Amino acid sequence: MKTITHLSFYFIWVIFSSSAFAQKITLSHVEPAFWWVGMKNPELQILVHGPGIGQAQVSLSYKGVNLSGIEKVESPNYLFLNLQISPDAIAGKVPIVFKIGKKTFTHQYELRTKSSSTNRIQGFSPADVLYLIMPDRFSNGNQQNDTIAGMYEGTHRNKPFGRHGGDLKGISNHLDYIKNLGVTAIWLNPVLENNQRRESYHGYAITDLYQVDRRFGSNEEYVSFVNQSHQSGLKVIQDMVANHIGIEHWLMKDLPEKDWIHDSQAKEPMLTSYRTGTPSDPYASQFDLRKMTDGWFVPSMPDINQTNPRFATYLIQNSLWWIEYAGIDGIRMDTYPYPDKEFMANYAAALQNEYPKFNLVGEAWINSVPMTAYWQKGFKGTDGYVTQLPSVTDFPFYGTVIQALQEEGNWDTGLVRLYMLLGQDFIYPNPNNNVIFLDNHDLTRFFLSIGRDIQKFKLGITLLLTTRGIPQLYYGTELLMDGDGSVHPDVRKDFPGGWPGDPINAFTGQGRNASQNEAYEHIKKLLDWRKTQSVIHTGKLMHYLPEDNVYVYFRYTANESVMVILNGSSQEKNLSTKRFSERLQSFKQARDIISGENFSDLTTLKVPAKTSLVLELKK
């Protein structure tokens, strides 16, 4: 009986082994799918994922390409191939041979030629104004991709947290509207795959870092969108996330190593504290620091461990891939203080080393000037941290503007808050590179924040578009769209006219009411003027202490000067200009670019209640 049992096991083993060797070698993922010759960094890491691929022997033979290392990891279904690509390597198909037992499989890995076009990868600067769009909520240009087989969520426009069907085609259809408004760059909330079971519309729970969400379009359609935008004179900023992925990401179903995700084996992983000031706090405990940086953002968004060298390289290469593949001009990095900060410095440096004109802005949601400045390139703190991030989001600016416009002017209230805020700019290495805004996809809409007062609205817009920094407008701000930021879908409403059958089409003047057209025209007039004003892009700023809630500042160069007057009071002011003689100097005349009025005498200026003047000074 024992002999029969042993023989049975023997035959089962033989059959199983024969079957295993008879199976074909298959690859589920090869990432990045292709790369380029001519990159400054000659090193390339290729993630290979497939059943049992970890036991494969790997070889390649291609002139100028060397397989310098093969790394096996905990999961038997992965290999990490390290390649060295010499400067003399030419574009082509690199045959990578995988051998398991007697079976072999050759994967033709493509090397492309790096683009030399001067119209790609332009970066962004204070000469630009960014227009932020949530793709799912702007316009549905292709109803055929509303529901995709194999993806959890289809389109349910009646559900605030559901997908509404906006897509890349819809945005492309309205590039003329965006261009005519006067902005110079488009920032899209994430367009990469979010195949989550619920609430996937916002894009921040990515389930494939190399694939555009098919409900928005294809990778090829995204490249076409970028090219169309460039042809329209518009830059494109891509929203990326290095802090977390979606719980449905294919990696989560078979992690290469357990430590790719913090607390990956925990039944209830630790959630972050959201205390974004902790990484810069010189007195922070390790407990608080770990909870902030290693905790999951929400239960559906696992926290990435960027200290794992393979995942770190994977993330850096992923952004480089999108830059070169799509020709994007910049990146907005979500939740910038949450990941490992040393990794983020390496990440930012790697992107700028490969693309010196490239710019990236980090979302640092911190209502503190020094804690925001900590993340900007050039800041020197006491902990020795060397950040490489060129641009930061200026949340202190946002919060101060809202508060200043809501208050009566006094010693330390009203518009004097703007003066005191900008007086702290000595902390920033480069305050002109701060991205400034009045609202975004997470915040209460600006129009609602200032009590739906269109005069205050125009004051805020004037400040945004004439002070230092890189302005960002949120889609629909020009239409006075409002919504409470405590309920996210409320500030992410559909753009009226973006869907077939919409009763109102706000893409046209006829589809907007009088107040909307007043707001739109105010923004457009300032934007059209701003595009050509180097004095606003690169000029210095000098401001004067507000009196009677009237704030005066100048943007100036050696030859040009613009005087901006914001009257935040409810009374008309006859403003004597005597105390501004330092900047008025020999300027005797002016033209208000908002009203078109010409001033031949600058001794006294009449400024109506709750209005602004933007004066081009003339000698």
Side-chain angles (χ1 to χ4, degrees):
M1 189 69 180
K2 286 182 180 181
T3 303
I4 294 174
T5 303
H6 288 160
L7 285 173
S8 299
F9 277 120
Y10 171 76
F11 285 119
I12 291 172
W13 179 83
V14 169
I15 293 168
F16 175 80
S17 300
S18 301
S19 174
F21 284 116
Q23 289 177 353
K24 292 182 179 180
I25 299 173
T26 58
L27 303 182
S28 306
H29 299 91
V30 176
E31 296 184 341
F34 52 84
W35 200 247
W36 296 268
V37 296
M39 301 289 274
K40 291 180 182 178
N41 185 351
E43 298 178 353
L44 172 64
Q45 171 190 279
I46 303 176
L47 176 154
V48 180
H49 177 228
I53 199 66
Q55 61 183 310
Q57 294 178 315
V58 185
S59 61
L60 66 83
S61 178
Y62 190 88
K63 185 178 179 181
V65 178
N66 177 43
L67 181 60
S68 58
I70 303 171
E71 298 181 57
K72 297 183 178 183
V73 289
E74 292 173 10
S75 171
N77 303 320
Y78 287 89
L79 282 177
F80 289 83
L81 310 181
N82 298 316
L83 273 59
Q84 287 280 336
I85 304 173
S86 69
D88 61 349
I90 61 174
K93 298 290 183 66
V94 179
I96 304 178
V97 180
F98 298 86
K99 184 177 181 182
I100 301 177
K102 295 182 179 180
K103 298 294 179 183
T104 62
F105 171 78
T106 300
H107 176 77
Q108 300 293 338
Y109 190 83
E110 183 180 6
L111 286 178
R112 301 180 177 182
T113 302
K114 186 180 181 183
S115 174
S116 59
S117 171
T118 58
N119 193 40
R120 300 175 88 240
I121 315 173
Q122 303 170 66
F124 60 93
S125 73
D128 292 302
V129 177
L130 317 184
Y131 189 69
L132 167 59
I133 295 174
M134 179 157 282
D136 183 63
R137 303 299 167 91
F138 192 69
S139 177
N140 188 345
N142 179 10
Q143 297 182 62
Q144 299 303 310
N145 63 18
D146 287 359
T147 299
I148 299 290
M151 304 198 81
Y152 290 118
E153 283 196 298
T155 294
H156 302 282
R157 199 177 173 200
N158 61 323
K159 296 182 179 180
F161 286 94
R163 301 188 72 95
H164 289 190
D167 50 32
L168 291 169
K169 178 62 174 173
I171 303 170
S172 296
N173 288 345
H174 296 291
L175 286 178
D176 284 347
Y177 170 84
I178 299 168
K179 180 182 179 179
N180 290 336
L181 179 62
V183 299
T184 63
I186 301 172
W187 157 26
L188 300 181
N189 291 121
V191 296
L192 301 185
E193 183 188 275
N194 268 240
N195 193 20
Q196 297 282 97
R197 295 176 185 272
R198 58 190 295 271
E199 295 181 33
S200 64
Y201 73 95
H202 52 70
Y204 287 97
I206 298 171
T207 55
D208 191 328
L209 286 157
Y210 280 97
Q211 177 66 52
V212 167
D213 195 296
R214 288 174 289 163
R215 291 160 295 190
F216 292 151
S218 65
N219 283 12
E220 293 75 18
E221 285 178 278
Y222 181 59
V223 174
S224 176
F225 161 75
V226 174
N227 290 336
Q228 285 181 263
S229 297
H230 285 168
Q231 290 166 11
S232 298
L234 296 165
K235 300 176 180 180
V236 176
I237 316 301
Q238 183 164 332
D239 208 326
M240 302 291 280
V241 188
N243 178 65
H244 52 264
I245 55 177
I247 194 74
E248 299 292 341
H249 194 293
W250 66 266
L251 282 169
M252 295 300 296
K253 298 172 174 56
D254 182 16
L255 284 173
E257 302 164 273
K258 295 183 181 67
D259 73 347
W260 274 46
I261 298 296
H262 289 121
D263 289 354
S264 65
Q265 305 304 300
K267 186 176 181 181
E268 293 185 8
M270 175 179 66
L271 297 181
T272 182
S273 64
Y274 308 103
R275 297 288 188 174
T276 48
T278 309
S280 59
D281 180 357
Y283 310 114
S285 67
Q286 286 300 306
F287 175 86
D288 289 337
L289 185 61
R290 179 180 179 273
K291 185 171 178 61
M292 162 61 198
T293 61
D294 295 359
W296 290 25
F297 198 73
V298 293
S300 61
M301 298 179 186
D303 193 76
I304 291 173
N305 175 17
Q306 301 85 14
T307 66
N308 179 292
R310 281 166 290 278
F311 209 170
T313 299
Y314 179 95
L315 294 169
I316 291 171
Q317 287 185 170
N318 177 253
S319 288
L320 290 170
W321 190 88
W322 280 109
I323 295 169
E324 183 60 33
Y325 171 63
I328 58 174
D329 301 289
I331 282 175
R332 180 266 189 186
M333 178 55 72
D334 185 61
T335 53
Y336 199 86
Y338 288 77
D340 177 77
K341 64 184 183 182
E342 297 296 342
F343 163 79
M344 293 311 303
N346 294 335
Y347 169 91
L351 269 55
Q352 293 168 88
N353 178 63
E354 192 66 52
Y355 302 99
K357 293 199 312 184
F358 196 76
N359 195 7
L360 60 154
V361 54
E363 183 209 24
W365 193 336
I366 313 171
N367 297 315
S368 159
V369 169
M371 285 182 170
T372 301
Y374 177 86
W375 297 103
Q376 191 176 52
K377 190 175 184 177
F379 184 84
K380 296 180 180 179
T382 58
D383 64 355
Y385 177 60
V386 180
T387 175
Q388 297 292 333
L389 178 68
S391 181
V392 289
T393 51
D394 199 335
F395 276 87
F397 176 89
Y398 151 76
T400 300
V401 173
I402 303 300
Q403 191 172 10
L405 291 175
Q406 289 293 79
E407 297 175 335
E408 295 294 327
N410 213 315
W411 175 261
D412 58 356
T413 59
L415 298 191
V416 74
R417 291 189 184 276
L418 304 177
Y419 180 92
M420 298 303 294
L421 172 80
L422 296 177
Q424 299 174 65
D425 272 2
F426 64 89
I427 297 177
Y428 291 109
N430 185 3
N432 288 325
N433 221 21
N434 288 12
V435 170
I436 56 176
F437 50 94
L438 303 173
D439 55 10
N440 64 24
H441 59 290
D442 289 323
L443 303 170
T444 296
R445 287 275 191 173
F446 177 55
F447 190 50
L448 181 59
S449 293
I450 43 88
R452 298 190 175 95
D453 185 325
I454 193 165
Q455 294 306 113
K456 291 181 180 179
F457 174 88
K458 291 196 288 186
L459 280 174
I461 293 294
T462 299
L463 172 69
L464 178 74
L465 299 180
T466 58
T467 191
R468 59 84 170 142
I470 305 170
Q472 169 248 298
L473 287 167
Y474 185 36
Y475 82 96
T477 292
E478 71 275 18
L479 304 181
L480 303 178
M481 288 176 68
D482 65 14
D484 185 350
S486 65
V487 183
H488 275 163
D490 204 32
V491 299
R492 302 167 179 178
K493 295 175 182 174
D494 298 345
F495 192 103
W499 279 252
D502 277 3
I504 296 173
N505 182 9
F507 287 112
T508 68
Q510 295 79 9
R512 301 187 285 264
N513 62 36
S515 294
Q516 289 173 327
N517 274 322
E518 182 180 354
Y520 176 92
E521 291 301 329
H522 182 77
I523 292 174
K524 178 174 172 55
K525 189 170 292 184
L526 282 166
L527 286 173
D528 285 342
W529 169 79
R530 190 187 191 279
K531 276 191 228 181
T532 60
Q533 298 301 309
S534 60
V535 66
I536 301 297
H537 308 159
T538 60
K540 296 180 180 179
L541 170 67
M542 181 180 289
H543 62 175
Y544 289 78
L545 273 164
E547 293 182 355
D548 298 328
N549 214 26
V550 178
Y551 181 39
V552 177
Y553 57 93
F554 292 79
R555 301 299 306 276
Y556 64 99
T557 63
N559 301 311
E560 296 179 284
S561 189
V562 173
M563 181 182 187
V564 182
I565 306 170
L566 305 178
N567 181 5
S569 74
S570 55
Q571 297 177 347
E572 181 177 273
K573 300 292 181 181
N574 288 312
L575 182 68
S576 170
T577 62
K578 184 177 181 180
R579 72 185 180 108
F580 311 126
S581 59
E582 178 184 2
R583 286 268 40 96
L584 285 174
Q585 298 174 352
S586 59
F587 294 104
K588 304 298 181 183
Q589 302 176 67
R591 183 181 73 91
D592 179 21
I593 68 99
I594 296 176
S595 66
E597 181 181 358
N598 291 310
F599 296 82
S600 58
D601 182 1
L602 302 182
T603 306
T604 302
L605 297 171
K606 183 181 292 186
V607 189
K610 293 197 294 186
T611 61
S612 57
L613 301 179
V614 180
L615 303 177
E616 285 184 322
L617 299 178
K618 303 177 181 180
K619 295 182 179 179

